[in-house]
Amino acid sequence: MIGVLFGLSAVVMWALYFVYARQAAQAGLLPIDVIVLRYGVAGLILLPWLLRKGLGDLGGIGWGRGVVLAIIVGPLFLMFGAGGFLFAPLAHGAVIQPSTAALVATAVAILFLGEKLHAARIAGIAMVLGGIALIALAGGQRQRA
């Protein structure tokens, strides 16, 4: 039951992220503003935990891993996600962002972790790419009209 609760909490948080990121873009905030708000506040909240766990090894993670994680899944990810809402409607971003995240994770698993590229995975990748293409085509048609 606790797993279901955490899963539902994650869904609510992701949904709220999309709504707030789109609202921020419509209100005139730039992606860098959203990044500073998101990571600045989280950093201040977690600073006591980090100091207690140890700043020398970044709370047990290690500075090397921490820097790589910060670059890959931190502000850079949010910059592209929040930046996309300057150009796309909420519904498009809520589908495209998780879909492309899944594609990138699959590519990383194949390239760096030795995952096998079998028929079911190829079919899944093709379906996700097809869905993204349909959304992009529909968005392009609407802009021309």
Side-chain angles (χ1 to χ4, degrees), residues 86-143:
L86 295 171
F87 307 101
L90 177 61
H92 290 189
V95 173
I96 291 172
Q97 190 174 6
S99 299
T100 54
L103 289 175
V104 171
T106 300
V108 168
I110 291 167
L111 295 172
F112 298 106
L113 302 177
E115 292 280 330
K116 301 295 181 217
L117 191 59
H118 47 78
R121 184 166 284 158
I122 292 170
I125 291 168
M127 284 188 271
V128 170
L129 287 172
I132 292 170
L134 288 173
I135 291 171
L137 287 171
Q141 294 295 329
R142 189 175 307 124
Q143 286 179 353

Side-chain angles (χ1 to χ4, degrees), residues 46-64:
L46 290 173
L47 184 60
W49 176 87
L50 178 61
L51 293 174
R52 190 172 59 249
K53 290 291 185 177
L55 190 60
D57 66 348
L58 197 59
I61 294 171
W63 279 96

Side-chain angles (χ1 to χ4, degrees), residues 16-30 34 82 85-86 88-90:
L16 289 174
Y17 157 71
F18 290 123
V19 172
Y20 288 131
R22 177 66 177 156
Q23 183 61 34
Q26 288 180 331
L29 291 177
L30 297 174
V34 176
F85 287 117
L86 295 171
L90 177 61

Side-chain angles (χ1 to χ4, degrees), residues 5-23 38-39 72-74 77-82 85 90-102 105:
L5 181 64
F6 282 133
L8 290 173
S9 298
V11 168
V12 169
M13 284 184 247
W14 266 98
L16 289 174
Y17 157 71
F18 290 123
V19 172
Y20 288 131
R22 177 66 177 156
Q23 183 61 34
R38 182 172 179 178
Y39 293 103
I72 294 173
V73 298
F77 173 79
L78 189 59
M79 182 182 70
F80 286 114
F85 287 117
L90 177 61
H92 290 189
V95 173
I96 291 172
Q97 190 174 6
S99 299
T100 54

